[in-house]
Amino acid sequence: MALTDIWFVLIAVLWTGYFVLEGFDFGVGMLLRVLSKDDTDRRVLINTIGPVWDGNEVWLLVAGGATFAAFPLWYASLFSGFYLALLVILVALIIRGVAFEFRGKIDSVRWRRNWDRAIMVGSTVPALLWGVAFGNIVHGVPLDAQHHFTGTFFILLNPYALLGGLATLTVFMLHGCVFLALKTTDTVRDHAIALAKPLGSAAILCAGGFLAWTAADHGGWAWLFAIAAAVALVLGVSYAIAGREGVAFVCTAVAIVATTVTLFAALYPNVLPSTTDIANSLTTTNASSTPYTLRIMTWVAVAFTPIVLVYQGWTYWVFRKRVTRASIPSGQR
C-alpha cells in the first residue's frame, strides 16, 4: 500500500474517532434543556461530558492538520470552497466552548439560561453542517482544471448533502441520548431511555436514506458498510428501548464508524471529486505531499499516536462512573 493510501486511511480513522467521540458531546449539548427539569439536572448533563469534551475536539484538530500536511491541495480546495460553512462551524464550536466555561460565572437564572441556549446552538450547528460538508465531499463540487472551486455557497445546499446533515444531526442526538442513559441515574436516565425511541426512528429514517443513496451511487464496498451501519443503528435503538444502554452505546458508536467508513469507501481514490469534469478531480495521488513529507509524518504518527490514545483512554477510565444529582455540590452551577 502506498503512503498516500495509508494517509487516506489514517485521516478516515481520525474523522471516525472525532464523530464517535464528539458525536455524543453534540448530542448531550442538543438535549441539554430537553432532558432536564431544573438546573441541577442540567448540571448533571454537563458534568457527563465536562472532563472529556475538549479532549474529543483534539481529533478534529489532528484530522485537519493531517489533511493539510498529507494532502495540501485537498485542504486548500476544501477551505476555499467550504469557507463559509467551516467558518460557521468554527464560530459555533467557539461559542459552545465559551458557554461551558462561562455558564457558572454568575449566579443568575437568566445568565445560565442564555448560556444553555448557546450550548444547544453550538452543538446543533456543527452536528448538522458536518453532515452537509461530507455529503458534498462525497458527491463532488465544481472544480476547474487548476482544482479551484468554481461554485457558490448555495451549490453546497443540494438534496444529498442536506440529507447527510439530517443524518448526522439525528444520529448524534441519538448517540448523546444513549450516552446520557449510560452515564446518569434516576429521572434523567429514564427520560433519556424514553426519548431513544422517537430519536431512533428519526435517525433510522434519515441515516438509512442517506446510506442507501450513497451506496446506490457508488456501489462496491459502500453497500457492505452501509448495511452494517443500518443494522448497528437499529440494534442500538432496540437495546436503548430495552434499557441496555451499555450495549446500545456500543451499537450507536459502531453505526457512526460504519457510516464514516461508507463515506470514505465511496470517496476513494478521490479526495474531492469534480462535478465539472472528472479529470479535474482531486485524488490521493495528485493532491498528496511529497513522499519524503509523508515518510516523516508516518514516523511522527507511529511515535506519538499511542501516547495520545493511552492518555485519552485513561481519562475515560477515571471518569467512568455515573453522574447523579447527589454528586452535584450544593450551590454549584
Side-chain angles (χ1 to χ4, degrees):
M1 182 182 290
L3 282 177
T4 52
D5 294 331
I6 291 174
W7 274 97
F8 180 83
V9 171
L10 289 176
I11 289 172
V13 169
L14 291 170
W15 279 108
T16 301
Y18 174 68
F19 287 147
V20 169
L21 298 177
E22 192 81 310
F24 69 75
D25 276 2
F26 289 150
V28 172
M30 287 186 280
L31 297 173
L32 183 59
R33 296 188 69 89
V34 177
L35 292 177
S36 58
K37 68 177 187 296
D38 57 25
D39 194 66
T40 301
D41 278 352
R42 286 187 279 279
R43 188 68 257 181
V44 168
L45 266 65
I46 292 173
N47 281 11
T48 62
I49 60 174
V52 297
W53 71 268
D54 51 352
N56 293 342
E57 290 189 347
V58 172
W59 288 79
L60 172 62
L61 299 177
V62 177
T67 303
F68 172 76
F71 301 101
L73 288 181
W74 184 16
Y75 183 93
S77 295
L78 277 178
F79 274 79
S80 60
F82 294 36
Y83 183 82
L84 180 57
L86 294 176
L87 178 62
V88 171
I89 291 175
L90 177 61
V91 172
L93 291 176
I94 291 173
I95 291 174
R96 179 171 173 265
V98 171
F100 281 131
E101 299 296 332
F102 276 63
R103 182 184 185 276
K105 297 299 183 182
I106 297 178
D107 187 11
S108 164
V109 173
R110 182 179 179 182
W111 173 270
R112 289 191 296 273
R113 183 174 60 245
N114 288 335
W115 285 117
D116 288 344
R117 290 169 177 165
I119 291 173
M120 295 178 71
V121 172
S123 300
T124 302
V125 170
L128 174 67
L129 292 186
W130 280 129
V132 174
F134 269 84
N136 279 289
I137 290 172
V138 174
H139 176 266
V141 294
L143 298 175
D144 62 19
Q146 287 73 44
H147 309 301
H148 296 156
F149 179 79
T150 57
T152 65
F153 172 78
F154 295 101
I155 287 180
L156 304 180
L157 304 180
N158 57 80
Y160 175 75
L162 291 175
L163 181 58
L166 291 177
T168 52
L169 180 71
T170 54
V171 171
F172 288 168
M173 195 177 295
L174 173 66
H175 195 40
C177 183
V178 174
F179 176 78
L180 288 172
L182 178 64
K183 288 288 292 180
T184 60
T185 61
D186 303 324
T187 57
V188 174
R189 176 179 177 271
D190 294 339
H191 291 162
I193 292 175
L195 189 59
K197 185 175 182 179
L199 280 182
S201 299
I204 290 171
L205 179 64
C206 295
F210 180 63
L211 288 166
W213 193 339
T214 303
D217 279 352
H218 298 275
W221 286 100
W223 272 114
L224 177 63
F225 296 121
I227 292 172
V231 171
L233 189 58
V234 171
L235 288 175
V237 175
S238 300
Y239 281 119
I241 295 172
R244 300 182 61 184
E245 57 267 21
V247 182
F249 183 74
V250 172
C251 289
T252 55
V254 170
I256 293 173
V257 170
T259 299
T260 310
V261 174
T262 300
L263 295 178
F264 276 90
L267 185 61
Y268 183 82
N270 295 316
V271 293
L272 190 61
S274 171
T275 56
T276 305
D277 186 341
I278 194 170
N280 299 341
S281 298
L282 288 170
T283 67
T284 56
T285 303
N286 65 16
S288 69
S289 295
T290 64
Y292 181 69
T293 300
L294 295 178
R295 282 198 298 270
I296 294 176
M297 289 174 58
T298 302
W299 284 113
V300 171
V302 168
F304 290 101
T305 301
I307 298 174
V308 174
L309 293 177
V310 169
Y311 173 77
Q312 191 163 31
W314 175 79
T315 302
Y316 276 93
W317 175 256
V318 169
F319 295 101
R320 67 189 181 278
K321 293 184 178 180
R322 293 179 184 264
V323 181
T324 67
R325 288 176 63 92
S327 66
I328 306 299
S330 177
Q332 181 178 346
R333 301 298 181 186

